[in-house]
């Protein structure tokens, strides 16, 4: 509240000093964190039938009123919200006063002092205003009354925005309300067309202009320094608008990589000087969709790497704040996105301002979720959309609805208000030279690459749901799409989980079952694993890491996937590290050497070799890290390479001193091997280890090893002492074969050697054991981390020592990331922490996957199981192959080579594990 009062005081002071400017007086608060209490009456649902108070702006459901509804609900509430608010109006003699609503859901009737300000506004996501000059009482308190109908009286508005939309449908004045006070002669609006060649056109829409007056423009840098001289045009009182033109020599251009902004100060001048003056930020840039070619920014072919974003915060619905807008854009940039699609409505103005300043390409969208506005109301809303947003250089396309929700009669309306004549898209179909297919499978990508002619950029693909989609399968898709000469990128669904806090259900999170948890991020922007997968695949400094060995010469293949940035504007830093052992408490790597390679002169699209110039001793380290930084000095990505082989780590592991010899005893069903004071018990009828008994307790490792997912029977079980060792062997036959050999030797780790073979398709391949989940407390491992992986989502992780406490996080339902249960890649060793006694398992084999338990099934999982990949029955596994994951709509098998089920050809696979109990 203090901030609002200071802002209002500042506005008044500015008006006193610069009376020719527009006065802005907020009647509501400015965002979710700065609200003003208005009188409020809700006609139905919670807290209805009585006058009380409500924070404005807000969605009333989140304030404890009315009824929550998701768009797919067949029966929806239709309560009204009645608002009252008194405000003081100064005399403002010789001024015009407008009341502006940035957004109100849905039908909104505005009354000033008992008189209606204008027609009821229909459409929930758009800025609208009324001239209330003649309704005000000067130097007195004035009464504002607003009636908001959650359900529109216009059926097409309900169809487009609410009837079956795949998002939450709220009610209320959810964006700010304010007064704009201007002179009688004023600038109503402007539209800038500033091109990459330096040409500048400004369409100015003045009101009440008089003969003898002029409209003058001065382009400036954002610090107020003039660029060129002012230029003007004489008044034409009969014209709809005036055009001011100029040319500038080599201006700094706007793009997502270099978002250079200018401002233009526009003034109406008369004999007495400046009558009205406004300021507008803009960027010099040219965007083109070239038919049968590609998408171009400033003459350079550009690949869009984007997500689809809802304007959403779990505690406040569609009412946001500047910190949230800034956070979202920064997260997108961190994820190496250069674009964002508004889904499925225009965002807060402030979000577009941030996109302008930090650099994101924007698809701005008229609402129309699989249903369209009628032409009468649609024409009004297109105008409101374009007039508000036309000057944002970040906006590159207009989306006329979504997935069939386009009124084709509105396609040409956008150009009426847009001198840039941006291309209009129909997300989901081929239109205006673009193929915006939604949810193509891999075969569609192959066909497009082979025979397509349209500029291809799916406006929704890789549909996230829980942990599926998004980054999973993206590597194959993107690699193929990059081969297409008319490729313009794509937009992943979706940026965030739209899970709302239910104030009517004890503040639980509600994603409407499986409808809303589609995000790469959680509702409070918690990062899922796909965030980092996308970050690597979409890195503009593209590296496809290959394993390195002693023949590595310190040179890394690099591709410049920027549009405008030479890699000599980036910096690189490497480091060589040694890792702590499994026994040490720390997970921090010991940095042994660091360096910065010489800048690489690579233009956009070029490939080359980055010479790290590593020291001669590089191979004596455990891992190599390479980090790339952009021109803004922010991390693009960090790649990692293992240097020390798993077998060498095992070899260097210090064995305990021998406490005693090894001996065995048996009964009809049990074999007990005792070594170094520890008993290892085997079931002779199955061949499986059943438990490990230490002097201070029992470790409940049992039921293995078994050949995961394959039915076999024990054919032979033998055990014998040989030269101070004790050997236990088991052979299994059936749908596959498995040979197991345990070696117990005093003073040494317990060694398990195994060979297995199978034929046919397999969800996973390897061996497993059982360990009770209720006894697991955490894990520490050397391998890829910190997130779990799927066969088709391996990228984005980093090789190192990681630690994770047990959690039962279910992606998209709870957000304690990284998740604990799942598959882990390139594991060299793992410490299974538990309530009994922690034990460590080492592997001698490269590319080993470790399975930790089984992820829980989502409460509202789809029956198709696309995003619930199979897991072995055993709870702890050491696997050579793991499952891929699909998307909401697509099984993994249609998502590309990495998404295929594993195939075994009968060849024998060998492995070695060492156990430290």
């Amino acid at each position: 509240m203090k901030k609002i009062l200071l802002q209002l005081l500042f506005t008044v002071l500015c008006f006193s000093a610069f009376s020719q400017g527009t006065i802005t007086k907020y009647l509501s608060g400015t965002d979710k964190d700065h609200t003003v209490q208005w009188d409020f009456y809700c006609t139905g649902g919670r807290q209805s039938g009585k006058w009380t108070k409500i924070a404005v702006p807000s969605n009333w459901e989140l304030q404890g009123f009315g009824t929550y509804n998701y768009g797919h609900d067949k029966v929806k509430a239709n309560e009204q919200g009645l608002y009252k608010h008194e405000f003081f109006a100064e005399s403002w003699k010789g001024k015009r006063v407008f009341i502006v609503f940035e957004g109100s859901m849905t039908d909104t009737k505005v009354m000033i002092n008992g008189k209606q300000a204008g027609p009821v506004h229909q459409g929930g996501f758009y800025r609208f205003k009324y001239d209330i000059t003649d309704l005000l009482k000067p130097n007195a308190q004035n009464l504002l009354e607003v009636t908001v109908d959650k359900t529109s009286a216009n059926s097409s508005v309900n169809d487009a925005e609410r009837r079956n939309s795949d998002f939450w449908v709220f009610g209320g004045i959810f964006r700010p309300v304010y007064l704009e006070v201007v002179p009688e002669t004023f600038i109503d609006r402007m539209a800038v067309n500033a091109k990459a060649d330096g040409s500048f056109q400004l369409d100015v829409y003045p009101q009440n202009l008089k003969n003898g007056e002029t409209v003058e423009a001065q382009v400036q840098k954002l610090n107020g320094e003039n660029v060129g001289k002012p230029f003007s045009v004489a008044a034409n009182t009969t014209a709809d608008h005036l055009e001011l033109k100029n040319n500038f020599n080599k201006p700094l251009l706007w793009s997502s990589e270099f978002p250079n902004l200018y401002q233009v100060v526009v003034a109406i001048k008369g004999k007495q000087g400046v009558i009205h003056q406004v300021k507008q930020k803009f960027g010099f840039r040219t965007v083109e969709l070239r038919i049968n070619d590609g998408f171009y920014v400033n003459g350079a072919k550009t690949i869009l790497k984007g997500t689809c974003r809802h304007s959403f915060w779990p505690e406040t619905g569609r009412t946001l704040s500047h910190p949230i807008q800034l956070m979202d854009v920064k997260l997108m940039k961190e994820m190496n996105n250069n674009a964002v699609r508004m889904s499925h409505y225009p965002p807060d103005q402030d979000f577009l301002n941030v996109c302008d300043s930090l650099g994101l390409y924007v698809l701005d969208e008229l609402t129309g979720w699989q249903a369209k506005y009628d032409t009468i109301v649609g024409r009004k809303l297109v105008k409101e959309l374009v007039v508000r947003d036309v000057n944002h250089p970040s906006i590159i396309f207009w989306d006329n609805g979504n997935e069939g929700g386009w009124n084709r009669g509105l396609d040409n309306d956008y150009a009426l208000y847009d001198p840039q004549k941006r291309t209009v898209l129909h997300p989901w179909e081929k239109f205006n030279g673009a193929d915006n297919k939604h949810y193509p499978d891999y075969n569609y990508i192959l066909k497009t690459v082979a025979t397509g002619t349209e500029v291809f950029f799916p406006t929704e693909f890789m549909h996230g749901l829980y942990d599926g989609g998004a980054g999973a399968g993206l590597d194959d898709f993107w690699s193929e799409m990059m081969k297409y000469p008319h490729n313009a990128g794509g937009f992943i669904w979706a940026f965030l989980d739209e899970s709302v806090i239910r104030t009517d259900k004890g503040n639980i999170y509600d994603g409407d079952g499986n409808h809303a948890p589609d995000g790469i991020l959680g509702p409070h922007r918690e990062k899922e694993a796909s965030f980092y997968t996308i970050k690597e695949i979409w890195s503009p400094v593209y590296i496809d890491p290959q394993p390195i060995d002693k023949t590595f010469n310190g040179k890394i293949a690099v591709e410049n996937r920027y549009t405008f940035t030479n890699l000599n504007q980036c910096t690189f830093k490497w480091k060589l590290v040694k890792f702590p052992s499994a026994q040490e408490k720390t997970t921090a790597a010991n940095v042994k050497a660091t360096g910065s390679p010489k800048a690489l002169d690579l233009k956009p699209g070029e490939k080359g070799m980055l010479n790290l110039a590593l020291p001669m001793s590089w191979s004596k380290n455990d891992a190599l890290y390479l980090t790339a930084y952009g021109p803004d000095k922010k991390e693009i990505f960090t790649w990692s390479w293992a240097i020390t082989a798993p077998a060498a780590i095992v070899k260097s592991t210090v064995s305990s001193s021998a406490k005693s010899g090894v001996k065995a005893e048996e009964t009809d069903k049990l074999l007990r091997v005792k070594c170094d004071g520890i008993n290892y018990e085997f079931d002779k009828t199955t061949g499986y280890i059943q438990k490990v008994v230490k002097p201070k307790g029992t470790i409940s490792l049992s039921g293995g090893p078994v050949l995961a997912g394959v039915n076999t029977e024990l054919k032979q079980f033998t055990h014998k002492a040989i030269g101070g060792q004790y050997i236990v062997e088991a052979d299994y036959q059936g749908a596959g074969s498995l040979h197991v050999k345990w070696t117990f030797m005093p003073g040494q780790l317990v060694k398990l050697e195994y060979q297995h073979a199978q034929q046919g398709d397999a969800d996973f391949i390897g061996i497993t054991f059982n360990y009770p989940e209720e006894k697991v407390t955490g894990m520490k491992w050397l391998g890829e981390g910190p997130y779990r992986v799927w066969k088709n989502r391996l990228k984005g992780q980093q090789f190192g020592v990681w630690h994770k406490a047990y959690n039962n996080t279910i992606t998209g339902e709870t957000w304690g990331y990284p998740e604990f249960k799942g598959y882990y890649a390139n594991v060299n060793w793992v410490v299974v922490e538990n309530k009994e006694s922690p034990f460590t398992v080492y592997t001698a084999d490269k590319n080993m996957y470790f399975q930790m338990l089984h992820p829980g099934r989502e409460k509202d999982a789809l029956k198709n199981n696309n995003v619930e990949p199979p897991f072995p029955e055993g709870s702890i596994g050491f696997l050579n192959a793991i499952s891929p994951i699909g998307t909401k709509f697509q099984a993994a098998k249609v998502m590309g080579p990495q998404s295929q089920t594993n195939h075994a050809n009968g060849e024998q696979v060998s492995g070695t594990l060492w156990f430290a109990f």
Side-chain angles (χ1 to χ4, degrees), residues 540-556:
V541 178
Y542 185 75
I543 294 173
D544 187 14
Q546 301 299 315
I548 59 175
D549 56 28
K550 291 185 178 180
T551 65
F552 177 56
N553 62 3
K555 295 180 180 180
I556 303 288

PDB file of all heavy atoms in Angstrom, residues 540-556:
ATOM      1  N   PRO A 540      22.798 -22.589 -27.989  1.00  0.00           N
ATOM      2  CA  PRO A 540      23.289 -21.990 -29.236  1.00  0.00           C
ATOM      3  C   PRO A 540      24.752 -22.312 -29.499  1.00  0.00           C
ATOM      4  O   PRO A 540      25.211 -22.215 -30.633  1.00  0.00           O
ATOM      5  CB  PRO A 540      23.072 -20.489 -29.007  1.00  0.00           C
ATOM      6  CG  PRO A 540      23.077 -20.317 -27.531  1.00  0.00           C
ATOM      7  CD  PRO A 540      22.493 -21.574 -26.967  1.00  0.00           C
ATOM      8  N   VAL A 541      25.487 -22.663 -28.454  1.00  0.00           N
ATOM      9  CA  VAL A 541      26.812 -23.262 -28.626  1.00  0.00           C
ATOM     10  C   VAL A 541      26.580 -24.765 -28.543  1.00  0.00           C
ATOM     11  O   VAL A 541      26.416 -25.319 -27.452  1.00  0.00           O
ATOM     12  CB  VAL A 541      27.793 -22.793 -27.540  1.00  0.00           C
ATOM     13  CG1 VAL A 541      29.141 -23.471 -27.711  1.00  0.00           C
ATOM     14  CG2 VAL A 541      27.937 -21.284 -27.570  1.00  0.00           C
ATOM     15  N   TYR A 542      26.536 -25.424 -29.701  1.00  0.00           N
ATOM     16  CA  TYR A 542      26.090 -26.820 -29.712  1.00  0.00           C
ATOM     17  C   TYR A 542      27.289 -27.757 -29.693  1.00  0.00           C
ATOM     18  O   TYR A 542      28.180 -27.683 -30.551  1.00  0.00           O
ATOM     19  CB  TYR A 542      25.228 -27.117 -30.931  1.00  0.00           C
ATOM     20  CG  TYR A 542      24.663 -28.521 -30.900  1.00  0.00           C
ATOM     21  CD1 TYR A 542      23.607 -28.835 -30.032  1.00  0.00           C
ATOM     22  CD2 TYR A 542      25.199 -29.533 -31.683  1.00  0.00           C
ATOM     23  CE1 TYR A 542      23.107 -30.125 -29.967  1.00  0.00           C
ATOM     24  CE2 TYR A 542      24.696 -30.822 -31.627  1.00  0.00           C
ATOM     25  CZ  TYR A 542      23.656 -31.118 -30.766  1.00  0.00           C
ATOM     26  OH  TYR A 542      23.157 -32.386 -30.685  1.00  0.00           O
ATOM     27  N   ILE A 543      27.282 -28.631 -28.696  1.00  0.00           N
ATOM     28  CA  ILE A 543      28.293 -29.670 -28.552  1.00  0.00           C
ATOM     29  C   ILE A 543      27.562 -30.984 -28.309  1.00  0.00           C
ATOM     30  O   ILE A 543      26.647 -31.040 -27.482  1.00  0.00           O
ATOM     31  CB  ILE A 543      29.243 -29.365 -27.373  1.00  0.00           C
ATOM     32  CG1 ILE A 543      30.070 -28.106 -27.670  1.00  0.00           C
ATOM     33  CG2 ILE A 543      30.153 -30.553 -27.080  1.00  0.00           C
ATOM     34  CD1 ILE A 543      30.918 -27.639 -26.492  1.00  0.00           C
ATOM     35  N   ASP A 544      27.933 -32.015 -29.029  1.00  0.00           N
ATOM     36  CA  ASP A 544      27.368 -33.343 -28.812  1.00  0.00           C
ATOM     37  C   ASP A 544      28.464 -34.190 -28.178  1.00  0.00           C
ATOM     38  O   ASP A 544      29.291 -34.780 -28.882  1.00  0.00           O
ATOM     39  CB  ASP A 544      26.910 -33.959 -30.132  1.00  0.00           C
ATOM     40  CG  ASP A 544      26.148 -35.270 -29.924  1.00  0.00           C
ATOM     41  OD1 ASP A 544      25.753 -35.545 -28.774  1.00  0.00           O
ATOM     42  OD2 ASP A 544      25.960 -36.008 -30.910  1.00  0.00           O
ATOM     43  N   PRO A 545      28.524 -34.242 -26.850  1.00  0.00           N
ATOM     44  CA  PRO A 545      29.676 -34.862 -26.189  1.00  0.00           C
ATOM     45  C   PRO A 545      29.838 -36.345 -26.549  1.00  0.00           C
ATOM     46  O   PRO A 545      28.878 -37.113 -26.503  1.00  0.00           O
ATOM     47  CB  PRO A 545      29.358 -34.697 -24.697  1.00  0.00           C
ATOM     48  CG  PRO A 545      28.324 -33.622 -24.631  1.00  0.00           C
ATOM     49  CD  PRO A 545      27.536 -33.747 -25.895  1.00  0.00           C
ATOM     50  N   GLN A 546      31.031 -36.704 -26.907  1.00  0.00           N
ATOM     51  CA  GLN A 546      31.391 -38.091 -27.159  1.00  0.00           C
ATOM     52  C   GLN A 546      32.359 -38.546 -26.074  1.00  0.00           C
ATOM     53  O   GLN A 546      33.150 -37.742 -25.562  1.00  0.00           O
ATOM     54  CB  GLN A 546      32.038 -38.231 -28.537  1.00  0.00           C
ATOM     55  CG  GLN A 546      31.162 -37.765 -29.693  1.00  0.00           C
ATOM     56  CD  GLN A 546      29.866 -38.552 -29.800  1.00  0.00           C
ATOM     57  OE1 GLN A 546      29.868 -39.783 -29.712  1.00  0.00           O
ATOM     58  NE2 GLN A 546      28.750 -37.845 -29.971  1.00  0.00           N
ATOM     59  N   PRO A 547      32.310 -39.833 -25.712  1.00  0.00           N
ATOM     60  CA  PRO A 547      33.232 -40.306 -24.676  1.00  0.00           C
ATOM     61  C   PRO A 547      34.682 -40.031 -25.062  1.00  0.00           C
ATOM     62  O   PRO A 547      35.043 -40.048 -26.241  1.00  0.00           O
ATOM     63  CB  PRO A 547      32.944 -41.813 -24.623  1.00  0.00           C
ATOM     64  CG  PRO A 547      31.557 -41.958 -25.163  1.00  0.00           C
ATOM     65  CD  PRO A 547      31.409 -40.893 -26.197  1.00  0.00           C
ATOM     66  N   ILE A 548      35.502 -39.732 -24.068  1.00  0.00           N
ATOM     67  CA  ILE A 548      36.911 -39.484 -24.330  1.00  0.00           C
ATOM     68  C   ILE A 548      37.758 -40.570 -23.664  1.00  0.00           C
ATOM     69  O   ILE A 548      37.369 -41.155 -22.650  1.00  0.00           O
ATOM     70  CB  ILE A 548      37.352 -38.088 -23.840  1.00  0.00           C
ATOM     71  CG1 ILE A 548      37.126 -37.926 -22.331  1.00  0.00           C
ATOM     72  CG2 ILE A 548      36.633 -37.004 -24.606  1.00  0.00           C
ATOM     73  CD1 ILE A 548      37.650 -36.602 -21.784  1.00  0.00           C
ATOM     74  N   ASP A 549      38.908 -40.849 -24.281  1.00  0.00           N
ATOM     75  CA  ASP A 549      39.866 -41.795 -23.707  1.00  0.00           C
ATOM     76  C   ASP A 549      41.256 -41.183 -23.790  1.00  0.00           C
ATOM     77  O   ASP A 549      41.397 -39.985 -24.052  1.00  0.00           O
ATOM     78  CB  ASP A 549      39.791 -43.158 -24.417  1.00  0.00           C
ATOM     79  CG  ASP A 549      39.998 -43.027 -25.922  1.00  0.00           C
ATOM     80  OD1 ASP A 549      40.693 -42.070 -26.363  1.00  0.00           O
ATOM     81  OD2 ASP A 549      39.482 -43.870 -26.678  1.00  0.00           O
ATOM     82  N   LYS A 550      42.268 -41.976 -23.602  1.00  0.00           N
ATOM     83  CA  LYS A 550      43.623 -41.438 -23.538  1.00  0.00           C
ATOM     84  C   LYS A 550      44.105 -40.867 -24.869  1.00  0.00           C
ATOM     85  O   LYS A 550      45.122 -40.171 -24.928  1.00  0.00           O
ATOM     86  CB  LYS A 550      44.587 -42.510 -23.027  1.00  0.00           C
ATOM     87  CG  LYS A 550      44.349 -42.858 -21.561  1.00  0.00           C
ATOM     88  CD  LYS A 550      45.392 -43.827 -21.021  1.00  0.00           C
ATOM     89  CE  LYS A 550      45.142 -44.093 -19.535  1.00  0.00           C
ATOM     90  NZ  LYS A 550      46.153 -45.034 -18.969  1.00  0.00           N
ATOM     91  N   THR A 551      43.384 -41.159 -25.961  1.00  0.00           N
ATOM     92  CA  THR A 551      43.760 -40.602 -27.257  1.00  0.00           C
ATOM     93  C   THR A 551      43.181 -39.206 -27.475  1.00  0.00           C
ATOM     94  O   THR A 551      43.461 -38.568 -28.491  1.00  0.00           O
ATOM     95  CB  THR A 551      43.274 -41.518 -28.389  1.00  0.00           C
ATOM     96  OG1 THR A 551      41.825 -41.546 -28.388  1.00  0.00           O
ATOM     97  CG2 THR A 551      43.802 -42.941 -28.208  1.00  0.00           C
ATOM     98  N   PHE A 552      42.378 -38.727 -26.538  1.00  0.00           N
ATOM     99  CA  PHE A 552      41.747 -37.410 -26.661  1.00  0.00           C
ATOM    100  C   PHE A 552      42.826 -36.325 -26.757  1.00  0.00           C
ATOM    101  O   PHE A 552      43.755 -36.281 -25.959  1.00  0.00           O
ATOM    102  CB  PHE A 552      40.849 -37.172 -25.441  1.00  0.00           C
ATOM    103  CG  PHE A 552      40.189 -35.818 -25.398  1.00  0.00           C
ATOM    104  CD1 PHE A 552      39.394 -35.365 -26.436  1.00  0.00           C
ATOM    105  CD2 PHE A 552      40.370 -34.993 -24.290  1.00  0.00           C
ATOM    106  CE1 PHE A 552      38.790 -34.119 -26.377  1.00  0.00           C
ATOM    107  CE2 PHE A 552      39.766 -33.749 -24.217  1.00  0.00           C
ATOM    108  CZ  PHE A 552      38.979 -33.318 -25.271  1.00  0.00           C
ATOM    109  N   ASN A 553      42.673 -35.441 -27.759  1.00  0.00           N
ATOM    110  CA  ASN A 553      43.681 -34.407 -28.003  1.00  0.00           C
ATOM    111  C   ASN A 553      43.300 -33.037 -27.470  1.00  0.00           C
ATOM    112  O   ASN A 553      43.950 -32.033 -27.792  1.00  0.00           O
ATOM    113  CB  ASN A 553      43.981 -34.314 -29.502  1.00  0.00           C
ATOM    114  CG  ASN A 553      42.755 -33.904 -30.309  1.00  0.00           C
ATOM    115  OD1 ASN A 553      41.694 -33.627 -29.742  1.00  0.00           O
ATOM    116  ND2 ASN A 553      42.895 -33.873 -31.625  1.00  0.00           N
ATOM    117  N   GLY A 554      42.248 -32.979 -26.676  1.00  0.00           N
ATOM    118  CA  GLY A 554      41.850 -31.704 -26.084  1.00  0.00           C
ATOM    119  C   GLY A 554      41.041 -30.812 -26.996  1.00  0.00           C
ATOM    120  O   GLY A 554      40.797 -29.644 -26.665  1.00  0.00           O
ATOM    121  N   LYS A 555      40.597 -31.345 -28.133  1.00  0.00           N
ATOM    122  CA  LYS A 555      39.809 -30.554 -29.071  1.00  0.00           C
ATOM    123  C   LYS A 555      38.365 -31.054 -29.096  1.00  0.00           C
ATOM    124  O   LYS A 555      38.119 -32.260 -29.142  1.00  0.00           O
ATOM    125  CB  LYS A 555      40.409 -30.611 -30.473  1.00  0.00           C
ATOM    126  CG  LYS A 555      41.783 -29.970 -30.553  1.00  0.00           C
ATOM    127  CD  LYS A 555      42.357 -30.030 -31.965  1.00  0.00           C
ATOM    128  CE  LYS A 555      43.742 -29.379 -32.017  1.00  0.00           C
ATOM    129  NZ  LYS A 555      44.326 -29.432 -33.380  1.00  0.00           N
ATOM    130  N   ILE A 556      37.423 -30.097 -29.039  1.00  0.00           N
ATOM    131  CA  ILE A 556      35.994 -30.399 -28.963  1.00  0.00           C
ATOM    132  C   ILE A 556      35.298 -29.829 -30.205  1.00  0.00           C
ATOM    133  O   ILE A 556      35.479 -28.656 -30.542  1.00  0.00           O
ATOM    134  CB  ILE A 556      35.361 -29.783 -27.695  1.00  0.00           C
ATOM    135  CG1 ILE A 556      36.069 -30.278 -26.436  1.00  0.00           C
ATOM    136  CG2 ILE A 556      33.868 -30.055 -27.646  1.00  0.00           C
ATOM    137  CD1 ILE A 556      35.791 -31.712 -26.082  1.00  0.00           C
TER     138      ILE A 556
END
